[in-house]
Amino acid sequence: MAARVPIRRLITELGSARVVFQTKYGDIEFGFYPHVAPKTVEHIFKLVRLGCYNTNHFFRVDKGFVAQVADVAGGRTAPMNEEQRKEAEKTVVGEFSKVKHVRGILSMGRYADPDSAASSFSILLGDAPHLDGQYAIFGKVTKGDETLRKLEELPTRQEGIFVMPIERISIESTYFYDTENKRAVI
């Protein structure tokens, strides 16, 4: 008889796709939770495949809380082509779950409307239970915690409610691959 695997474990298992954001401070690799937030995963992965996060940046780095990636429509230094712009303008329905906001989790940014998430997301730099059930969790960091720790040590400034890095932390390039096939995911 096969061993029973708890449903909760199956839900929070990462899919085989991995994305890598390259910065001058090092790489950050993450995987997706396709069973937790399938529409969000599909949308973010399409933005990555289209190159939308290339030349974007982390506009917020709040030590022990979040490193937040800017919305691709306004955060890139490179112009967008029509296909990128069309995808970047889309929003996804809020896919809220019981997965906890802990260090390394990827969580969508949004406005007051729970269905307003577009392309900005946060990488949790600590536990944030006050966010649980209110923001869509769609993945987690698999490699690069040392890079995140470097980002946390950079000088910041307070701007309204945001703690922002003084220097621009650019996502110089991105790539993706499949852990099962060890080749690019198409």
Side-chain angles (χ1 to χ4, degrees):
M1 184 198 267
R4 297 182 80 201
V5 178
I7 290 176
R8 185 171 185 90
R9 188 173 138 225
L10 288 175
I11 290 172
T12 58
E13 276 187 8
L14 291 173
S16 61
R18 294 293 182 273
V19 169
V20 178
F21 281 3
Q22 297 180 304
T23 75
K24 74 178 189 179
Y25 296 100
D27 295 352
I28 303 166
E29 178 186 285
F30 55 89
F32 297 110
Y33 291 136
H35 300 293
V36 173
K39 292 175 183 165
T40 303
V41 167
E42 180 182 341
H43 176 65
I44 295 297
F45 194 55
K46 185 169 185 182
L47 289 168
V48 169
R49 287 193 321 266
L50 291 172
C52 292
Y53 288 98
N54 294 341
T55 77
N56 198 10
H57 69 287
F58 288 90
F59 80 92
R60 178 183 190 186
V61 179
D62 194 341
K63 186 175 185 173
F65 183 43
V66 297
Q68 189 168 354
V69 176
D71 185 85
V72 298
R76 292 167 42 106
T77 57
M80 297 180 98
N81 65 38
E82 192 56 37
E83 186 179 15
Q84 289 171 325
R85 189 174 351 277
K86 186 176 177 183
E87 191 63 28
E89 290 172 354
K90 293 179 181 177
T91 57
V92 289
V93 64
E95 296 178 294
F96 309 120
S97 68
K98 294 190 185 291
V99 179
K100 303 296 182 193
H101 281 80
V102 296
R103 186 174 181 90
I105 285 294
L106 307 181
S107 179
M108 289 301 289
R110 64 173 176 80
Y111 295 102
D113 177 350
D115 298 331
S116 63
S119 60
S120 178
F121 66 88
S122 294
I123 300 173
L124 275 286
L125 300 174
D127 297 355
H130 63 285
L131 302 179
D132 292 348
Q134 297 183 54
Y135 293 85
I137 290 175
F138 65 95
K140 75 174 183 178
V141 171
T142 53
K143 294 179 186 171
D145 194 60
E146 65 283 350
T147 301
L148 293 174
R149 291 192 190 285
K150 289 177 189 176
L151 300 184
E152 286 185 279
E153 296 306 317
L154 294 174
T156 58
R157 71 183 188 284
Q158 186 82 32
E159 194 168 309
I161 64 166
F162 298 117
V163 176
M164 305 169 76
I166 291 173
E167 73 170 87
R168 182 181 173 92
I169 303 169
S170 292
I171 299 166
E172 295 169 353
S173 64
T174 63
Y175 67 91
F176 52 93
Y177 69 95
D178 187 301
T179 60
E180 294 175 358
N181 298 322
K182 300 291 184 200
R183 62 179 172 79
V185 179
I186 299 174

